[in-house]
Amino acid sequence: MWLREGQTPGSDRWYLAIRHVELRPVFAPQHFDCALGTRLGDADTPAVIELFTRLSRDVEALWQRLRTARPRPIDLGTGRTACVRLPDGDAGHGWTPSGGAALATIWAEAMAEVAPGQADALRATGRQMGQSLSICGLAWPRDVAAGERLGHSVWQAVRTDPAYTDLIRRASAEIDRARLDPLENPACAAERRALRGAG
């Protein structure tokens, strides 16, 4: 399989993947805490959550039209186990492109606009979130790559919309306030360890 050393079940990268597959817009901004040097879970960030929610809807609308069903790695007898508990009967529910990778990508692009000084680190976080779907056996690498392309495409289509530029402005102010807290997310040490040497 495609897993590299250090990505197998029980590894630090495996546990980071468990965190990354939480893609609900109200929680997903916290994946970017370490890149931002803040703790969004402890901050008041309604504009950031609204930004993630609206982007999710835009991605979902296009993804629903483009997606093609195909088995996930965990559905093909590969010996892989998902890193999260799946609902009973959740078998053969894979898709290409990966909707999760599309979300991770568009959120990373939006956050790079919100905090341009950390753009490279924020985009790297988005890529690692997509990779986590493969580590978890929930998506094939090529479907993650297709999802990333979808996320980039949707972002380019919406980024100049006045509603989004206003949200970016308000989200940026929220991030600036959140970063006044000098304490980082306590999970960041584990994240750095998990990503040590990651491409």
Side-chain angles (χ1 to χ4, degrees), residues 49-90:
I49 293 170
E50 182 182 353
L51 177 63
F52 276 50
T53 301
R54 291 189 57 162
L55 289 170
S56 298
R57 287 199 295 262
D58 286 340
V59 166
E60 175 80 7
L62 184 56
W63 179 76
Q64 289 283 357
R65 298 203 303 269
L66 296 176
R67 67 180 184 167
T68 300
R70 80 194 206 100
R72 301 167 297 195
I74 58 170
D75 299 322
L76 289 178
T78 58
R80 299 290 307 284
T81 46
C83 64
V84 291
R85 181 183 175 91
L86 297 172
D88 292 339
D90 188 297

Short mmCIF file of all heavy atoms in Angstrom, two decimals, residues 49-90:
data_model
loop_
_atom_site.label_atom_id
_atom_site.label_comp_id
_atom_site.label_asym_id
_atom_site.label_seq_id
_atom_site.Cartn_x
_atom_site.Cartn_y
_atom_site.Cartn_z
N ILE A 49 -16.37 30.53 11.38
CA ILE A 49 -17.27 29.38 11.25
C ILE A 49 -18.24 29.58 10.09
O ILE A 49 -18.51 28.65 9.31
CB ILE A 49 -18.03 29.13 12.56
CG1 ILE A 49 -17.04 28.69 13.65
CG2 ILE A 49 -19.14 28.10 12.39
CD1 ILE A 49 -17.62 28.64 15.04
N GLU A 50 -18.74 30.80 9.92
CA GLU A 50 -19.62 31.09 8.78
C GLU A 50 -18.87 30.91 7.47
O GLU A 50 -19.41 30.36 6.49
CB GLU A 50 -20.19 32.50 8.88
CG GLU A 50 -21.16 32.83 7.75
CD GLU A 50 -21.70 34.25 7.83
OE1 GLU A 50 -21.43 34.95 8.81
OE2 GLU A 50 -22.39 34.65 6.87
N LEU A 51 -17.61 31.34 7.43
CA LEU A 51 -16.79 31.18 6.24
C LEU A 51 -16.65 29.70 5.88
O LEU A 51 -16.86 29.28 4.73
CB LEU A 51 -15.41 31.81 6.47
CG LEU A 51 -14.38 31.67 5.36
CD1 LEU A 51 -14.84 32.39 4.10
CD2 LEU A 51 -13.03 32.23 5.84
N PHE A 52 -16.30 28.88 6.86
CA PHE A 52 -16.14 27.45 6.61
C PHE A 52 -17.46 26.81 6.19
O PHE A 52 -17.49 25.95 5.31
CB PHE A 52 -15.60 26.75 7.87
CG PHE A 52 -14.11 26.80 8.01
CD1 PHE A 52 -13.41 27.98 7.89
CD2 PHE A 52 -13.40 25.65 8.27
CE1 PHE A 52 -12.03 28.03 8.02
CE2 PHE A 52 -12.01 25.67 8.39
CZ PHE A 52 -11.33 26.87 8.27
N THR A 53 -18.56 27.26 6.81
CA THR A 53 -19.88 26.69 6.49
C THR A 53 -20.29 27.03 5.06
O THR A 53 -20.76 26.15 4.31
CB THR A 53 -20.93 27.20 7.49
OG1 THR A 53 -20.53 26.84 8.81
CG2 THR A 53 -22.30 26.62 7.18
N ARG A 54 -20.13 28.27 4.67
CA ARG A 54 -20.53 28.67 3.32
C ARG A 54 -19.66 28.00 2.27
O ARG A 54 -20.16 27.57 1.23
CB ARG A 54 -20.45 30.19 3.19
CG ARG A 54 -21.51 30.92 4.00
CD ARG A 54 -21.56 32.38 3.69
NE ARG A 54 -21.79 32.62 2.26
CZ ARG A 54 -22.21 33.78 1.77
NH1 ARG A 54 -22.43 34.80 2.58
NH2 ARG A 54 -22.41 33.93 0.49
N LEU A 55 -18.36 27.91 2.54
CA LEU A 55 -17.48 27.22 1.59
C LEU A 55 -17.86 25.75 1.47
O LEU A 55 -17.80 25.18 0.37
CB LEU A 55 -16.02 27.38 2.02
CG LEU A 55 -15.43 28.77 1.86
CD1 LEU A 55 -14.07 28.85 2.55
CD2 LEU A 55 -15.30 29.15 0.38
N SER A 56 -18.26 25.15 2.58
CA SER A 56 -18.70 23.75 2.54
C SER A 56 -19.90 23.58 1.63
O SER A 56 -19.98 22.62 0.84
CB SER A 56 -19.06 23.27 3.95
OG SER A 56 -17.94 23.31 4.80
N ARG A 57 -20.85 24.51 1.72
CA ARG A 57 -22.04 24.42 0.87
C ARG A 57 -21.67 24.58 -0.60
O ARG A 57 -22.21 23.87 -1.46
CB ARG A 57 -23.06 25.47 1.29
CG ARG A 57 -23.76 25.16 2.60
CD ARG A 57 -25.05 25.94 2.75
NE ARG A 57 -24.80 27.37 2.85
CZ ARG A 57 -24.76 28.05 3.99
NH1 ARG A 57 -24.95 27.42 5.15
NH2 ARG A 57 -24.54 29.34 4.00
N ASP A 58 -20.76 25.49 -0.91
CA ASP A 58 -20.36 25.70 -2.30
C ASP A 58 -19.64 24.47 -2.86
O ASP A 58 -19.89 24.06 -4.00
CB ASP A 58 -19.45 26.93 -2.41
CG ASP A 58 -20.21 28.23 -2.26
OD1 ASP A 58 -21.44 28.22 -2.44
OD2 ASP A 58 -19.57 29.25 -1.96
N VAL A 59 -18.77 23.87 -2.06
CA VAL A 59 -18.08 22.66 -2.50
C VAL A 59 -19.09 21.53 -2.68
O VAL A 59 -19.06 20.79 -3.68
CB VAL A 59 -16.98 22.26 -1.50
CG1 VAL A 59 -16.50 20.84 -1.76
CG2 VAL A 59 -15.81 23.23 -1.59
N GLU A 60 -19.98 21.37 -1.71
CA GLU A 60 -20.96 20.28 -1.76
C GLU A 60 -21.82 20.37 -3.01
O GLU A 60 -22.11 19.35 -3.65
CB GLU A 60 -21.84 20.34 -0.51
CG GLU A 60 -22.99 19.36 -0.47
CD GLU A 60 -22.59 17.96 -0.04
OE1 GLU A 60 -21.43 17.76 0.35
OE2 GLU A 60 -23.45 17.06 -0.12
N ALA A 61 -22.23 21.58 -3.38
CA ALA A 61 -23.11 21.75 -4.53
C ALA A 61 -22.45 21.24 -5.81
O ALA A 61 -23.09 20.56 -6.63
CB ALA A 61 -23.51 23.22 -4.68
N LEU A 62 -21.17 21.54 -6.00
CA LEU A 62 -20.47 21.09 -7.20
C LEU A 62 -20.08 19.62 -7.08
O LEU A 62 -20.20 18.85 -8.04
CB LEU A 62 -19.24 21.96 -7.44
CG LEU A 62 -18.46 21.68 -8.73
CD1 LEU A 62 -19.37 21.77 -9.95
CD2 LEU A 62 -17.29 22.65 -8.87
N TRP A 63 -19.62 19.22 -5.90
CA TRP A 63 -19.20 17.83 -5.70
C TRP A 63 -20.33 16.85 -5.95
O TRP A 63 -20.13 15.78 -6.54
CB TRP A 63 -18.66 17.68 -4.27
CG TRP A 63 -18.22 16.29 -3.92
CD1 TRP A 63 -17.06 15.66 -4.30
CD2 TRP A 63 -18.92 15.35 -3.11
NE1 TRP A 63 -17.01 14.40 -3.77
CE2 TRP A 63 -18.13 14.19 -3.04
CE3 TRP A 63 -20.13 15.39 -2.43
CZ2 TRP A 63 -18.52 13.06 -2.31
CZ3 TRP A 63 -20.53 14.27 -1.70
CH2 TRP A 63 -19.73 13.13 -1.65
N GLN A 64 -21.54 17.20 -5.56
CA GLN A 64 -22.69 16.32 -5.77
C GLN A 64 -22.91 16.05 -7.25
O GLN A 64 -23.36 14.96 -7.64
CB GLN A 64 -23.96 16.94 -5.16
CG GLN A 64 -24.00 16.93 -3.65
CD GLN A 64 -24.33 15.57 -3.07
OE1 GLN A 64 -24.58 14.61 -3.80
NE2 GLN A 64 -24.33 15.47 -1.75
N ARG A 65 -22.59 17.02 -8.11
CA ARG A 65 -22.77 16.84 -9.55
C ARG A 65 -21.62 16.07 -10.19
O ARG A 65 -21.81 15.39 -11.20
CB ARG A 65 -22.91 18.20 -10.24
CG ARG A 65 -24.11 19.00 -9.77
CD ARG A 65 -24.54 20.03 -10.79
NE ARG A 65 -23.48 20.97 -11.14
CZ ARG A 65 -23.25 22.12 -10.52
NH1 ARG A 65 -24.03 22.47 -9.50
NH2 ARG A 65 -22.29 22.93 -10.91
N LEU A 66 -20.42 16.16 -9.59
CA LEU A 66 -19.23 15.57 -10.21
C LEU A 66 -18.87 14.19 -9.69
O LEU A 66 -18.18 13.44 -10.36
CB LEU A 66 -18.03 16.51 -9.99
CG LEU A 66 -18.08 17.88 -10.61
CD1 LEU A 66 -16.84 18.68 -10.20
CD2 LEU A 66 -18.18 17.79 -12.13
N ARG A 67 -19.31 13.86 -8.50
CA ARG A 67 -18.79 12.68 -7.82
C ARG A 67 -19.18 11.38 -8.54
O ARG A 67 -20.23 11.28 -9.17
CB ARG A 67 -19.31 12.63 -6.39
CG ARG A 67 -20.80 12.42 -6.27
CD ARG A 67 -21.27 12.39 -4.84
NE ARG A 67 -22.70 12.09 -4.76
CZ ARG A 67 -23.33 11.77 -3.66
NH1 ARG A 67 -22.65 11.72 -2.52
NH2 ARG A 67 -24.62 11.51 -3.67
N THR A 68 -18.29 10.41 -8.41
CA THR A 68 -18.53 9.06 -8.92
C THR A 68 -18.23 8.09 -7.79
O THR A 68 -17.19 8.19 -7.13
CB THR A 68 -17.60 8.77 -10.11
OG1 THR A 68 -17.85 9.72 -11.15
CG2 THR A 68 -17.85 7.36 -10.65
N ALA A 69 -19.14 7.15 -7.57
CA ALA A 69 -18.94 6.20 -6.48
C ALA A 69 -17.84 5.21 -6.82
O ALA A 69 -17.72 4.77 -7.96
CB ALA A 69 -20.25 5.45 -6.20
N ARG A 70 -17.03 4.87 -5.83
CA ARG A 70 -16.07 3.79 -5.98
C ARG A 70 -15.63 3.34 -4.59
O ARG A 70 -15.65 4.12 -3.64
CB ARG A 70 -14.87 4.19 -6.84
CG ARG A 70 -13.80 5.00 -6.20
CD ARG A 70 -12.92 5.58 -7.30
NE ARG A 70 -11.57 5.86 -6.85
CZ ARG A 70 -10.53 5.07 -7.07
NH1 ARG A 70 -10.71 3.90 -7.68
NH2 ARG A 70 -9.33 5.41 -6.69
N PRO A 71 -15.30 2.07 -4.43
CA PRO A 71 -14.95 1.56 -3.10
C PRO A 71 -13.74 2.28 -2.52
O PRO A 71 -12.81 2.65 -3.23
CB PRO A 71 -14.65 0.08 -3.35
CG PRO A 71 -15.33 -0.25 -4.62
CD PRO A 71 -15.27 1.01 -5.44
N ARG A 72 -13.76 2.47 -1.22
CA ARG A 72 -12.62 3.02 -0.51
C ARG A 72 -11.60 1.91 -0.24
O ARG A 72 -11.94 0.72 -0.34
CB ARG A 72 -13.07 3.62 0.82
CG ARG A 72 -14.10 4.72 0.69
CD ARG A 72 -14.73 5.05 2.02
NE ARG A 72 -15.46 3.91 2.56
CZ ARG A 72 -16.34 4.00 3.56
NH1 ARG A 72 -16.59 5.16 4.11
NH2 ARG A 72 -16.96 2.93 3.99
N PRO A 73 -10.38 2.27 0.14
CA PRO A 73 -9.40 1.23 0.48
C PRO A 73 -9.90 0.26 1.55
O PRO A 73 -9.67 -0.95 1.44
CB PRO A 73 -8.20 2.04 0.98
CG PRO A 73 -8.29 3.32 0.24
CD PRO A 73 -9.76 3.61 0.12
N ILE A 74 -10.62 0.77 2.55
CA ILE A 74 -11.09 -0.11 3.63
C ILE A 74 -12.19 -1.06 3.17
O ILE A 74 -12.54 -1.98 3.89
CB ILE A 74 -11.58 0.70 4.85
CG1 ILE A 74 -12.70 1.65 4.44
CG2 ILE A 74 -10.43 1.41 5.53
CD1 ILE A 74 -13.39 2.31 5.60
N ASP A 75 -12.76 -0.81 1.97
CA ASP A 75 -13.86 -1.64 1.48
C ASP A 75 -13.39 -2.77 0.57
O ASP A 75 -14.21 -3.54 0.07
CB ASP A 75 -14.87 -0.78 0.71
CG ASP A 75 -15.49 0.31 1.56
OD1 ASP A 75 -15.76 0.03 2.74
OD2 ASP A 75 -15.69 1.42 1.06
N LEU A 76 -12.10 -2.87 0.33
CA LEU A 76 -11.61 -3.81 -0.69
C LEU A 76 -10.76 -4.93 -0.13
O LEU A 76 -9.97 -5.52 -0.86
CB LEU A 76 -10.80 -3.03 -1.74
CG LEU A 76 -11.64 -2.13 -2.66
CD1 LEU A 76 -10.74 -1.38 -3.62
CD2 LEU A 76 -12.69 -2.94 -3.42
N GLY A 77 -10.88 -5.22 1.15
CA GLY A 77 -10.12 -6.32 1.70
C GLY A 77 -8.62 -6.08 1.69
O GLY A 77 -7.84 -7.02 1.54
N THR A 78 -8.23 -4.84 1.86
CA THR A 78 -6.81 -4.50 1.83
C THR A 78 -6.14 -4.75 3.18
O THR A 78 -4.93 -4.57 3.32
CB THR A 78 -6.62 -3.01 1.47
OG1 THR A 78 -7.32 -2.21 2.44
CG2 THR A 78 -7.15 -2.70 0.08
N GLY A 79 -6.93 -5.14 4.17
CA GLY A 79 -6.36 -5.30 5.51
C GLY A 79 -6.28 -4.01 6.27
O GLY A 79 -5.80 -3.97 7.41
N ARG A 80 -6.76 -2.93 5.67
CA ARG A 80 -6.75 -1.62 6.33
C ARG A 80 -7.94 -1.50 7.27
O ARG A 80 -9.00 -2.07 7.00
CB ARG A 80 -6.83 -0.50 5.28
CG ARG A 80 -5.68 -0.47 4.30
CD ARG A 80 -4.39 -0.04 4.96
NE ARG A 80 -4.62 1.22 5.67
CZ ARG A 80 -4.72 2.39 5.04
NH1 ARG A 80 -4.58 2.47 3.75
NH2 ARG A 80 -4.92 3.50 5.73
N THR A 81 -7.76 -0.77 8.34
CA THR A 81 -8.86 -0.43 9.22
C THR A 81 -8.99 1.08 9.25
O THR A 81 -7.99 1.80 9.20
CB THR A 81 -8.62 -0.93 10.65
OG1 THR A 81 -7.29 -0.59 11.04
CG2 THR A 81 -8.83 -2.41 10.76
N ALA A 82 -10.22 1.55 9.29
CA ALA A 82 -10.44 3.00 9.37
C ALA A 82 -9.93 3.51 10.70
O ALA A 82 -9.98 2.80 11.71
CB ALA A 82 -11.92 3.32 9.20
N CYS A 83 -9.46 4.75 10.72
CA CYS A 83 -8.97 5.31 11.98
C CYS A 83 -10.10 5.94 12.79
O CYS A 83 -9.85 6.52 13.84
CB CYS A 83 -7.85 6.32 11.71
SG CYS A 83 -8.38 7.75 10.79
N VAL A 84 -11.32 5.85 12.28
CA VAL A 84 -12.48 6.35 13.01
C VAL A 84 -13.56 5.29 12.97
O VAL A 84 -13.57 4.42 12.10
CB VAL A 84 -13.02 7.67 12.40
CG1 VAL A 84 -12.05 8.80 12.62
CG2 VAL A 84 -13.33 7.49 10.91
N ARG A 85 -14.45 5.36 13.92
CA ARG A 85 -15.58 4.42 13.94
C ARG A 85 -16.58 4.82 12.87
O ARG A 85 -17.04 5.97 12.83
CB ARG A 85 -16.25 4.44 15.32
CG ARG A 85 -17.41 3.47 15.45
CD ARG A 85 -18.06 3.59 16.82
NE ARG A 85 -19.23 2.75 16.91
CZ ARG A 85 -19.21 1.49 17.34
NH1 ARG A 85 -18.07 0.94 17.74
NH2 ARG A 85 -20.32 0.77 17.41
N LEU A 86 -16.91 3.89 12.00
CA LEU A 86 -17.86 4.17 10.93
C LEU A 86 -19.24 3.63 11.30
O LEU A 86 -19.36 2.64 12.02
CB LEU A 86 -17.38 3.50 9.64
CG LEU A 86 -16.04 4.02 9.10
CD1 LEU A 86 -15.57 3.16 7.94
CD2 LEU A 86 -16.17 5.48 8.67
N PRO A 87 -20.29 4.28 10.81
CA PRO A 87 -21.64 3.79 11.12
C PRO A 87 -21.85 2.38 10.60
O PRO A 87 -21.25 1.98 9.60
CB PRO A 87 -22.55 4.80 10.39
CG PRO A 87 -21.69 5.98 10.11
CD PRO A 87 -20.29 5.48 9.97
N ASP A 88 -22.71 1.63 11.26
CA ASP A 88 -23.07 0.30 10.79
C ASP A 88 -23.61 0.39 9.36
O ASP A 88 -24.42 1.27 9.04
CB ASP A 88 -24.12 -0.34 11.70
CG ASP A 88 -23.56 -0.66 13.08
OD1 ASP A 88 -22.33 -0.77 13.20
OD2 ASP A 88 -24.37 -0.81 14.02
N GLY A 89 -23.16 -0.52 8.52
CA GLY A 89 -23.62 -0.53 7.14
C GLY A 89 -22.88 0.44 6.25
O GLY A 89 -23.21 0.58 5.06
N ASP A 90 -21.90 1.15 6.78
CA ASP A 90 -21.14 2.12 5.97
C ASP A 90 -20.05 1.35 5.23
O ASP A 90 -18.90 1.28 5.66
CB ASP A 90 -20.53 3.19 6.86
CG ASP A 90 -19.89 4.31 6.06
OD1 ASP A 90 -18.93 4.04 5.33
OD2 ASP A 90 -20.37 5.44 6.16
#
